[in-house]
Amino acid sequence: MASIPSISQSQLFLNKPQFISTPKPSVFMKPISNPSQSFNLFVPQFKKPVVAAAGTAAGTAEEKSKKRYPGEGKGFVEEMRFVAMKLHTKDQAKEGEKEAQEKPLPKWEPTIDGYLKFLVDNAEFRNTGLERAESLAKDLAWFKEEGYSIPEPSSPGLNYSAYVEELSKKDPQAFICHFYNTYFAHTAGGRMIGKKVAEKILNGKELEFYKWDGDLSQLLQNVRDKLNLVAEKWTREEKNHCLEETEKSFKYSGEILRLILS
């Protein structure tokens, strides 16, 4: 995936005061970059006076017609984060808007067998660039050494893996949505889940699945920059298509997460 964040630029306009009633050209300052200097030169240029009535009204109408999306000013990753947070409940995130389920979830009692199913099904993402396969292989090897049988991938992981692989070939915008939500979920809420499971059934052992080489915050920022760069080339319609895939990514990942309690 490409890498490089976008930088938005703006021009500063300065109108020269009019001191007599006769219309005169207005002046604005245009920045000219001078390669031999470390600062910008501002050169006055003449501009015809703007007719206030029609021009201003048209400009205002045009500005109102441009819809701003939550998080858009910070880059597309922030737009994805905003949509993802809305799909949480208030108990899960302060920005959550999803209604809590009327039927309460089963009591949090993870099992070794269920956790192994969860890990195995996550390993099915090895060809999507999520970069968890090697760590998962180490964890599964450890469980095997401890005497546990490693299950075959189950339908939640197989179905999601096949779906994401298909998206990666035919629908890059939808694929990026799943890539972002899965990768970032493992580094946020996923780590908290891993810690709770470790405390309950693994005697506090930290699995390789929840470890990253290097500074995690910097790794995440690098990924944000790359995702923002990719999205810069998209139309607004393509961005919306990506955002619309968020609920489906939550559905698939939720089915895998529930394996922990099986």
Side-chain angles (χ1 to χ4, degrees):
M1 303 176 69
S3 61
I4 9 158
S6 64
I7 302 177
S8 36
Q9 298 178 325
S10 58
Q11 290 183 320
L12 300 176
F13 292 88
L14 178 63
N15 290 327
K16 184 176 180 180
Q18 305 286 335
F19 294 102
I20 56 178
S21 58
T22 305
K24 289 186 177 182
S26 60
V27 176
F28 71 99
M29 307 302 281
K30 179 181 180 182
I32 304 295
S33 296
N34 187 337
S36 65
Q37 297 178 340
S38 59
F39 54 85
N40 289 332
L41 299 178
F42 288 83
V43 181
Q45 293 194 355
F46 290 97
K47 179 184 176 184
K48 293 182 180 179
V50 178
V51 179
T56 304
T60 303
E62 183 180 353
E63 289 175 3
K64 287 183 178 179
S65 67
K66 292 181 179 178
K67 179 181 177 181
R68 294 287 290 178
Y69 290 78
E72 187 176 1
K74 295 182 179 180
F76 188 62
V77 168
E78 184 64 16
E79 289 189 53
M80 289 195 287
R81 191 197 70 82
F82 180 83
V83 174
M85 287 299 100
K86 288 178 66 177
L87 290 178
H88 288 73
T89 65
K90 285 291 185 184
D91 291 337
Q92 295 171 324
K94 62 181 181 180
E95 299 160 277
E97 294 183 5
K98 187 177 179 180
E99 293 292 331
Q101 295 182 352
E102 294 182 5
K103 183 180 179 180
L105 291 173
K107 185 179 179 182
W108 178 250
E109 290 295 345
T111 65
I112 291 288
D113 289 342
Y115 198 40
L116 278 169
K117 291 178 184 177
F118 168 77
L119 294 173
V120 168
D121 279 20
N122 269 288
E124 287 302 301
F125 287 106
R126 59 185 175 275
N127 294 321
T128 65
L130 297 178
E131 302 174 350
R132 292 289 82 207
E134 186 177 339
S135 296
L136 284 166
K138 293 178 182 178
D139 289 332
L140 295 176
W142 177 82
F143 275 104
K144 190 173 182 178
E145 290 172 1
E146 293 293 308
Y148 295 101
S149 297
I150 307 303
E152 291 296 318
S154 59
S155 57
L158 291 172
N159 292 340
Y160 197 12
S161 174
Y163 179 69
V164 171
E165 187 172 355
E166 187 68 16
L167 291 181
S168 70
K169 298 173 183 176
K170 298 182 178 180
D171 194 339
Q173 285 77 31
F175 170 77
I176 288 297
C177 176
H178 291 270
F179 177 93
Y180 166 77
N181 282 294
T182 301
Y183 189 93
F184 280 70
H186 286 324
T187 65
R191 286 196 296 166
M192 290 189 287
I193 292 173
K195 184 177 180 181
K196 288 183 178 180
V197 172
E199 292 171 351
K200 276 187 169 287
I201 59 177
L202 298 179
N203 295 320
K205 176 179 172 57
E206 182 182 10
L207 297 183
E208 296 298 315
F209 183 72
Y210 302 107
K211 298 177 184 178
W212 284 261
D213 294 330
D215 179 63
L216 179 57
S217 61
Q218 186 58 55
L219 292 174
L220 291 174
Q221 186 57 51
N222 292 342
V223 174
R224 288 189 190 96
D225 292 343
K226 292 178 180 179
L227 292 175
N228 281 331
L229 170 68
V230 170
E232 279 181 17
K233 302 177 179 66
W234 294 351
T235 64
R236 185 65 253 177
E237 290 71 22
E238 289 172 326
K239 290 180 178 179
N240 289 346
H241 175 59
C242 175
L243 297 176
E244 288 164 0
E245 192 74 10
T246 306
E247 193 163 355
K248 192 171 289 186
S249 76
F250 271 56
K251 173 182 175 293
Y252 276 114
S253 60
E255 289 175 353
I256 294 177
L257 182 61
R258 280 190 286 275
L259 290 173
I260 297 177
L261 303 177
S262 64

